[in-house]
Amino acid sequence: MNPEGNAMTASNLPRFMTRGQNYRVVNGDTLVLPCEVENLGNYVLLWRRGSSVLTADKIMVTRDARFRLVEGFNLEISKVRPQDAGDYVCQIGDGDNKDQIHTVEILVPPTIRTSPASGQLTARNAGTVTLECKASGNPVPSVLWSRKDNNLPSGEKTKEGFSITLEKIDRHHAGVYQCTANNGVGKPITVDMQLDVLYPPEIEVEKSWVHCGEGYEAQLVCVVYGEPAPNIMWYQNSFMLDPTERRTMESRGNKHTLTLKNVQAADFGNYSCVAENSLGKSKKHMELSGRPSPAKFRSTPFSRTRDSYNLTWIVESYPPLDEVRLLYRKILMNDTHQRHGKWHELIVHPPHGDNLFHLMYYNIRGLEASSVYEAIAQAKNRYGWNEVSDLYQFYTRGSGEDIYDYPSEPSLEDMELVAAASPRMTITTAILVFASLVIAL
């Protein structure tokens, strides 16, 4: 019987035109739950959640203004919240129809809470530190760690987990670490964490040996790392240096420069850069020298002949070179090891000139075919001998190969280098100097 006592047939009983569904909606969005009924007649349609009635017919029972009925009995929820998740039941008050149930899941974009909350961490050298990101959201977010403008100390670009622990830290661990939370809802969120490492000074010298000449300008550079920022002092031998008209000290970031103008003979010698902070002290030595730089060989490794080799090298020296000592020896090879022959020494008298780069040549004769040799060179100016050059290997041709008995020509790069070192010398002049040296030898 219906409320009016009239008989109802199966064809005109109320029935749902919609079906219960599962809804996933992002936190803050608006959701409409459908409930369309045919032949409702005088029956009352209810919306409830658990034991709480939300609506009865067109009457809003709940006092939450975010809920309202739209386009009939569809239930609209605006600005959904995580606590809105659950089952919503659309019910016909006839006692016969099954309820229509909608299940709502609220998707929450990720949020991050760092530990410490400030995102600033300070650790001592050789210590251990843990960076932590507590991520929340629905679904539960995954967290990836990375490092801004660098790889993680482990060498990885990223690492998954809610925390990352760094052990035996040093200054290379300092920087900005980033944790990124992502659960597929909205955009991933990234938070920066700054790690500062306290450590005693560490010094790197740009050049441990600095070549210069009297009347020229020299720069000695040390790169200093330390936290707290160290104080920098310069010494010549054991005497601390102060700025003068010819001597200036400049600092730009980690780079510290001692500049000596119009260098005098008394300026040559040993210098040291000393850095000190509350955690320790460090020192690195440099030498300012008027002696020639070590020779660098420029010739190709393979000879054009079977019994001679044209050796070319270049030496940097502000004063003219007094002499050059050239030594070579054969390398004796067998199946298991190699032995060295006797050193042969030659004294080469360089041409006179005022250019900084001295390009030199010597044709070594009386060599054996199909053999391996090695050479070293050492140059002297009025300040003394330079350091011995690196070993240089060269090879003679086999006895059946063509022979061309003429010297190797210097490369254009070498000629430009020599010409650039002397404002009065052009590339053509440099080639003529080289040619005259070949003829003289």
Side-chain angles (χ1 to χ4, degrees):
M1 297 291 290
N2 65 12
E4 296 177 355
N6 298 324
M8 296 288 291
T9 64
S11 61
N12 59 9
L13 287 174
R15 64 188 181 93
F16 290 107
M17 304 297 292
T18 51
R19 294 181 179 179
Q21 301 180 50
N22 295 326
Y23 289 89
R24 305 182 79 199
V25 58
V26 177
N27 184 49
D29 284 357
T30 296
L31 171 67
V32 176
L33 301 175
C35 187
E36 296 180 9
V37 179
E38 185 181 56
N39 301 326
L40 181 60
N42 293 325
Y43 288 100
V44 175
L45 191 70
L46 301 176
W47 275 102
R48 59 182 177 82
R49 182 183 174 202
S51 60
S52 300
V53 177
L54 303 176
T55 70
D57 195 41
K58 296 291 186 178
I59 301 172
M60 298 301 301
V61 179
T62 178
R63 296 185 179 182
D64 192 333
R66 297 179 302 117
F67 291 78
R68 68 182 185 126
L69 293 173
V70 295
E71 298 181 2
F73 293 101
N74 298 325
L75 180 65
E76 179 186 274
I77 311 171
S78 60
K79 299 178 182 178
V80 296
R81 303 168 183 169
Q83 55 266 35
D84 293 331
D87 292 338
Y88 289 78
V89 180
C90 184
Q91 185 178 50
I92 301 173
D94 62 354
D96 294 328
N97 280 278
K98 293 182 179 180
D99 299 338
Q100 184 175 107
I101 302 174
H102 297 297
T103 300
V104 175
E105 180 185 1
I106 307 300
L107 303 178
V108 182
T111 58
I112 292 177
R113 184 162 50 90
T114 62
S115 179
S118 64
Q120 300 284 331
L121 296 94
T122 301
R124 292 181 72 92
N125 191 58
T128 299
V129 66
T130 297
L131 293 77
E132 187 175 12
C133 274
K134 299 175 181 178
S136 58
N138 186 39
V140 176
S142 62
V143 175
L144 279 181
W145 287 92
S146 59
R147 193 173 174 192
K148 194 172 184 179
D149 303 324
N150 207 337
N151 287 338
L152 294 170
S154 62
E156 302 168 288
K157 285 190 173 294
T158 60
K159 186 175 183 179
E160 190 171 359
F162 287 94
S163 66
I164 182 171
T165 298
L166 308 175
E167 299 177 339
K168 297 180 181 179
I169 61 175
D170 58 30
R171 67 178 178 86
H172 299 97
H173 290 77
V176 177
Y177 291 78
Q178 298 179 310
C179 67
T180 300
N182 183 22
N183 64 355
V185 181
K187 295 181 178 180
I189 183 170
T190 298
V191 173
D192 292 351
M193 299 186 74
Q194 174 70 47
L195 173 62
D196 296 318
V197 179
L198 303 178
Y199 59 97
E202 298 177 14
I203 302 176
E204 298 173 0
V205 296
E206 194 171 83
K207 294 180 180 179
S208 60
W209 188 86
V210 179
H211 181 222
C212 194
E214 291 184 46
Y216 290 87
E217 180 180 294
Q219 287 191 336
L220 290 83
V221 178
C222 63
V223 181
V224 180
Y225 303 94
E227 187 65 36
N231 294 320
I232 309 300
M233 294 161 286
W234 288 95
Y235 288 82
Q236 183 181 11
N237 298 318
S238 58
F239 299 98
M240 190 170 74
L241 300 177
D242 294 317
T244 65
E245 288 185 359
R246 289 196 308 111
R247 187 167 56 217
T248 59
M249 297 142 185
E250 185 180 21
S251 297
R252 291 187 178 179
N254 295 329
K255 184 177 180 180
H256 304 270
T257 306
L258 172 64
T259 301
L260 302 171
K261 300 177 182 178
N262 189 22
V263 167
Q264 307 298 312
D267 295 326
F268 294 129
N270 293 317
Y271 289 78
S272 57
C273 172
V274 178
E276 185 175 10
N277 67 10
S278 59
L279 299 178
K281 187 176 183 179
S282 183
K283 177 191 289 188
K284 276 293 178 73
H285 295 279
M286 289 159 277
E287 181 185 356
L288 178 63
S289 176
R291 295 180 293 115
S293 67
K296 295 181 180 179
F297 292 98
R298 313 292 288 190
S299 43
T300 58
F302 295 96
S303 172
R304 294 181 176 181
T305 70
R306 61 174 179 255
D307 61 357
S308 66
Y309 179 75
N310 302 300
L311 192 64
T312 306
W313 67 94
I314 195 165
V315 175
E316 183 181 348
S317 175
Y318 284 87
L321 294 178
D322 295 332
E323 64 177 290
V324 174
R325 181 187 299 153
L326 180 65
L327 294 95
Y328 68 94
R329 65 184 177 184
K330 183 180 177 182
I331 300 177
L332 306 172
M333 313 286 291
N334 61 31
D335 294 337
T336 58
H337 66 281
Q338 63 181 34
R339 294 184 296 111
H340 297 96
K342 179 183 176 182
W343 281 112
H344 299 274
E345 182 175 348
L346 300 167
I347 300 299
V348 181
H349 296 285
H352 295 290
D354 60 353
N355 41 304
L356 172 60
F357 293 97
H358 302 263
L359 184 63
M360 302 182 64
Y361 157 90
Y362 194 90
N363 184 244
I364 304 174
R365 300 181 182 275
L367 304 177
E368 296 182 21
S370 302
S371 298
V372 182
Y373 289 84
E374 61 185 7
I376 56 174
Q378 191 176 20
K380 178 185 177 184
N381 65 16
R382 69 171 180 262
Y383 296 108
W385 290 95
N386 63 1
E387 298 293 327
V388 176
S389 70
D390 293 334
L391 280 170
Y392 176 76
Q393 284 193 352
F394 60 91
Y395 310 86
T396 54
R397 297 279 182 183
S399 58
E401 299 182 46
D402 293 335
I403 300 174
Y404 302 95
D405 192 11
Y406 55 86
S408 301
E409 295 180 356
S411 68
L412 181 60
E413 179 186 2
D414 289 336
M415 293 297 97
E416 290 175 341
L417 187 65
V418 173
S422 175
R424 294 187 295 278
M425 182 175 287
T426 63
I427 294 178
T428 302
T429 308
I431 295 174
L432 291 175
V433 169
F434 180 82
S436 64
L437 179 58
V438 172
I439 295 170
L441 294 170

